[in-house]
Structure formats: C-alpha cells, structure tokens
Amino acid sequence: MAKKFIIEGGRYLKGEIRVRGAKNAVTKQMVASLLAPGKSVLQNVPEIGDVEITKQILASIGCKIEHDPEAGILSIDAANLSTHRVPEEYSGLNRIPILLAGVLMHRFGAAEIPMMGGCDIGPRPVDFHIEGLRSLGADIRYEDGVYRFSAKRLTGARITLPFPSVGATENLMMAAATAKGTTEIRNAAIEPEIVDLALFLQSMGAIITQETDRTWIIQGVETLHAAQHRVINDRIEAASFAVSAIATRGDVIIKGADQLHMLTFLNWLRKAGGEFETVEGGIRFHGVQSKLKPIAVETGVHPGLMTDWQQPMVILLTQAEGMSVIHETVYENRFGYAETLNRMGARIQLYSECLGGRDCRFRNSGHRHSAVIMGPTPLKGAKIEIPDLRAGFSYLVAAVLAQGKTEISGVKYIERGYDRVVEKFQALGVPISVVEE
Ligand code: EPU
C-alpha cells in the first residue's frame, strides 16, 4: 500500500538528530564485498530503501545476508554465489546492477545485467562504464535489454573518463582491483564516498593510490579477502537537515555531520547568511538570527557543490532577500521539482542558458538547467507528488515552512535514501504523520 506524509507547517526545527551511513557509499560497498568469497561486515548502515533493494539483488545471486537495522550492522557472506545473472526484476529500481559487472566477472568470468534505472533526473547513460570495462578487456554485448559481459580475467589499462562520473569510477575501481596489472583512471570522480570505497577495498587487500590530479592508480591483485568497514556518514542527509534548520529559523545539532566533507556546502551556507558552529561530534546550525542573503552558485563534481545539495538549497533561497541563481552542471534535468514549489508560492524560473557561472556541457542542449529564485516568498501548504529522492526531501522542508497542511505522495522515493526521516522530523518538533493512500 502506498503511503503519504501529512505535515502541519509553519514550524521551526529544534533539537538534535544523528545522521548515519551514506546511501551512496554503503550500496557500493555491499557490491564490493562480492569480490571476496567470505563474510564482510559493514557498520553504520542506514535504514533506507536502497539498502533493502541492494540486499535483495545480492541475495538473488546467492549472498547470505544478516542485517541488524537498529545497530546498523550488515554482513554479507559471498562465499557461494549461485549465478552471474542479475534478475530482470531489479532493473530500473536503482543504479546498483551495472556496478556488479566487474565484480561478477571476477567471480564467474561473465556477468549479465539488465538495463538499470534510478531517479528520473535525465537519461543517465552507462557509456563510460561500458567503454571503461572494454578497455580493461571485457567483451560486452547488448541484446534484448541485457548487457552481457565476459572476460577470463580483466587486464589493467589507462582510462580517461570523459566526465568524472561517480558510478563509472566506482565500477572501474572495483573491476581493476583484481585485474592483471595496473589500471589508471584519469579524470575520475574523487567524492568522499569513492575514497570510502577505496578504503574498504584496501581493507580487503587491494592496492589503490589516489594521485593529486583526479587520478586513481589501482595495482591489481589476484584475490581479495572479506573485511570489516564503517561506512562514511551521509553528508547529503546532514546538509539537508542543516538547510532545514536555517530555512525554518530553527536550531539543530546534527551529530555525525562531518565538516571535512561539507567544506564547500558550509561556505555557501555562510554566504547565504546561515549560521553554524562545530560542536563535539557534529555541527550546530541555527537560523534564529539569520538574515538570509541571495547567492549565485554552481553545482559540480567534488570538491564542488554537490548536485544533491542543490534542492534543499533552493528552498533556503526562497526565503532569502533578493535574487539567487543556481547553475546545475552535473545533471541536465534536475529542476523538475520547481513547478510544484511555485504552486506553493515560490518564484523560481528555469532557463536553458548557463547562468551565473561558466558554460557547461549542457550549454546548447535546450535543457533548463539554470534556476533563478526570487525571495523571500511565503509558502503555503498543498497536495504534492514527489518526482525523485532529493526533490522529495526539499518538498518536506517546504512543507515544514509552509503555512497550513501539506500532503506529500510518492514517499517511497524519500524512504529510498533517508534514514528514519519521519522519526527525525518528529524529534525536531514537526507534526508529521504517515497515512496509507
Ligand atoms: N554519465 C554519462 N555516462 C555514464 C555515466 C554518467 O554520461 O556512463 C553522466 C550522467 O548522465 C550525469 C553525469 O555523468 O550527467 C554524472 O553522473 P555520475 O555517473 O557521476 O552519477 P551516478 O553515479 O549515476 C551518483 C549518485 C547520485 C549523485 C551523482 C553525482 C549513486 C547511487 N548516485 O550517481 O546520487 O547525484 O553520483 O554525485 O551514488 C541520489 O543520491 O539521489 C543521486 C542521484
């Protein structure tokens, strides 16, 4: 049965919450654990839909999984994998299946992966993954919606990615860990979640070096062994609650918010008038005295402003005095949620030009990837439907700010990526209830 959230708005957030492990780290580490025929253990695992989907995918190919959601401990025993075929039912649920290509080739010499999905934020092709794996020596065919990969053993190669793709870097890093010889991945992604994957692989016996210029060097080893790892905290969840605290003029301590991984976000938050201070084990965000100011920002790959921080940032800027500009340079179609915010009273206009920054790859694509936000605008409650995960959280924040009641449908998107989100908002004083539709 589908669920919806009902929120009584006009509130401010006050209290303390704790963020847990990052969605975009844990699911990749679950996949990486298959490189070793043993039982790996992950700690700080969040309770989110994407972990559940990934558990099901791994169980469907023979992993034995034990999960204590309360303690955040997940063990994956990959000793006896049963098949190199990812069942078709998992295609379209998230971006994980394609990441199994190299891992399954290591275990079986072959992999069959149905076409994958994820949120509806652009076409999200996998050409970089395919070309990279081909460079490592995989034979790859695409037939009837299924990618078929084969290689007795992959061979190290020098690969330059056309764009520093997170998924492609992770896929190639995992594939190269047990390839014959050395692999260089140039123009690679270097997000903290990728460094965390490298750390887990290193604990498993891999030899991975990060150079200063977006290059990963992976010296392939023959085998890896099972290992334990504590997943890095979720800097998207932390930033999302931080913005919620400031936008609602609240006062929230976020335990587990890590300044090191939020440096860029915190700079922009400060420029927008948001106030914060580091405290033991986290960061306190307080917006009671904040005079919110307009800013011009551009999203980008790490160490730039994450594309996943953009949506809550837009909500904050609807409350700033003046005109703000956000130029989205990672995904071509990530402002689909703005129309609904306008229905709630925001004034956001979208443009296909590259506004407020340098020209990006979407310059002449016709995609509306720049937003101009006029503030401050009071928001009012509405009945709304979530289009994707990150937009979903920003609707929640908009609902908390808005006068009146907001009903949010499509909450499965939020549950895919945010740990115990209802409990956390309730703990911060927001009247939010969950009803079946
Ligand atoms: N791209 C290609 N070809 C490829 C791969 C990527 O053209 O083969 C393009 C994409 O279309 C996009 C850009 O490169 O325009 C960046 O894509 P990337 O591969 O970096 O993204 P991803 O690995 O699919 C992950 C996160 C996203 C996050 C991005 C950027 C996961 C499961 N997803 O996606 O998170 O926005 O990196 O940091 O790790 C989310 O959590 O809601 C989410 C969308």
Side-chain angles (χ1 to χ4, degrees), residues 310-380:
Q310 174 253 98
Q311 306 77 357
M313 194 76 115
V314 164
I315 305 289
L316 181 75
L317 297 175
T318 66
Q319 305 308 305
E321 186 91 42
M323 185 181 85
S324 296
V325 178
I326 298 196
H327 179 206
E328 167 63 56
T329 75
V330 178
Y331 289 112
E332 60 271 59
N333 184 23
R334 229 180 177 185
F335 284 117
Y337 65 93
E339 206 180 304
T340 297
L341 294 179
N342 284 345
R343 223 163 29 83
M344 295 178 77
R347 284 176 61 204
I348 306 169
Q349 279 190 338
L350 303 183
Y351 296 87
S352 54
E353 288 81 7
C354 299
L355 296 184
R358 288 156 292 177
D359 284 349
C360 76
R361 336 178 256 141
F362 309 132
R363 183 165 62 111
N364 291 319
S365 66
H367 290 291
R368 299 197 303 161
H369 66 291
S370 294
V372 172
I373 303 131
M374 291 300 299
T377 47
L379 302 179
K380 56 182 185 309

Side-chain angles (χ1 to χ4, degrees), residues 174-412:
M174 288 190 276
T178 54
K180 186 166 185 289
T182 298
T183 298
E184 278 183 33
I185 314 174
R186 296 186 172 271
N187 197 32
I190 50 167
E191 271 63 8
E193 293 75 19
I194 296 180
V195 176
D196 204 47
L197 175 63
L199 296 182
F200 179 46
L201 289 168
Q202 186 183 54
S203 301
M204 296 175 77
I207 304 172
I208 301 178
T209 312
Q210 183 178 13
E211 302 279 290
T212 49
D213 59 348
R214 287 200 171 281
T215 299
W216 290 101
I217 299 187
I218 302 129
Q219 283 173 256
V221 294
E222 277 197 27
T223 54
L224 295 177
H225 53 79
Q228 285 201 32
H229 181 73
R230 184 180 167 80
V231 180
I232 188 176
N233 283 343
D234 198 318
R235 63 196 172 115
I236 304 176
E237 185 191 6
S240 303
F241 275 103
V243 163
S244 313
I246 305 285
T248 61
R249 316 284 171 170
D251 191 340
V252 176
I253 293 174
I254 304 181
K255 287 286 173 79
D258 190 340
Q259 187 182 12
L260 175 65
H261 301 138
M262 296 174 72
L263 179 81
T264 309
F265 167 80
L266 292 171
N267 285 338
W268 284 109
L269 190 68
R270 179 158 280 159
K271 286 186 194 179
E275 289 171 36
F276 60 87
E277 70 203 25
T278 52
V279 295
E280 178 67 33
I283 306 177
R284 174 179 167 220
F285 296 90
H286 43 104
V288 185
Q289 310 287 344
S290 295
K291 182 166 167 17
L292 296 178
K293 293 176 275 194
I295 48 172
V297 288
E298 179 170 283
T299 64
V301 295
H302 191 75
L305 191 82
M306 286 184 94
T307 166
D308 304 279
W309 287 332
Q310 174 253 98
Q311 306 77 357
M313 194 76 115
V314 164
I315 305 289
L316 181 75
L317 297 175
T318 66
Q319 305 308 305
E321 186 91 42
M323 185 181 85
S324 296
V325 178
I326 298 196
H327 179 206
E328 167 63 56
T329 75
V330 178
Y331 289 112
E332 60 271 59
N333 184 23
R334 229 180 177 185
F335 284 117
Y337 65 93
E339 206 180 304
T340 297
L341 294 179
N342 284 345
R343 223 163 29 83
M344 295 178 77
R347 284 176 61 204
I348 306 169
Q349 279 190 338
L350 303 183
Y351 296 87
S352 54
E353 288 81 7
C354 299
L355 296 184
R358 288 156 292 177
D359 284 349
C360 76
R361 336 178 256 141
F362 309 132
R363 183 165 62 111
N364 291 319
S365 66
H367 290 291
R368 299 197 303 161
H369 66 291
S370 294
V372 172
I373 303 131
M374 291 300 299
T377 47
L379 302 179
K380 56 182 185 309
K383 284 191 177 176
I384 57 184
E385 171 87 32
I386 292 174
D388 74 67
L389 168 67
R390 303 302 172 195
F393 192 96
S394 72
Y395 284 178
L396 265 177
V397 187
V400 176
L401 268 170
Q403 288 303 325
K405 186 166 87 172
T406 296
E407 286 185 29
I408 306 183
S409 309
V411 302
K412 65 171 199 266

Side-chain angles (χ1 to χ4, degrees), residues 23-25 27-28 50 94-96 99 119 121-130 163-170 189 191 193 235-236 300-302 306-308 329-332 334 361-362 388-390 416-418:
K23 163 177 107 56
N24 291 346
T27 46
K28 324 300 173 65
D50 258 18
N94 68 8
R95 302 279 291 167
I96 297 307
L99 298 180
C119 287
I121 52 176
R124 304 185 77 181
V126 290
D127 49 335
F128 307 162
H129 300 240
I130 300 298
F163 181 82
S165 153
V166 167
T169 303
E170 292 163 337
E191 271 63 8
E193 293 75 19
R235 63 196 172 115
I236 304 176
V301 295
H302 191 75
M306 286 184 94
T307 166
D308 304 279
T329 75
V330 178
Y331 289 112
E332 60 271 59
R334 229 180 177 185
R361 336 178 256 141
F362 309 132
D388 74 67
L389 168 67
R390 303 302 172 195
R416 259 188 55 196
Y418 292 92

Side-chain angles (χ1 to χ4, degrees), residues 30-89:
M30 291 171 72
V31 169
S33 68
L34 271 63
L35 283 165
K39 184 168 165 178
S40 289
V41 179
L42 298 174
Q43 293 149 352
N44 198 30
V45 173
E47 255 186 281
I48 55 173
D50 258 18
V51 165
E52 290 306 312
I53 295 170
T54 310
K55 272 165 60 183
Q56 287 167 23
I57 297 173
L58 300 192
S60 78
I61 53 180
C63 291
K64 292 202 173 50
I65 295 173
E66 287 165 30
H67 187 192
D68 179 344
E70 193 64 33
I73 296 176
L74 179 74
S75 71
I76 299 163
D77 184 345
N80 297 305
L81 297 187
S82 52
T83 176
H84 66 286
R85 295 193 176 94
V86 176
E88 200 180 323
E89 63 198 276

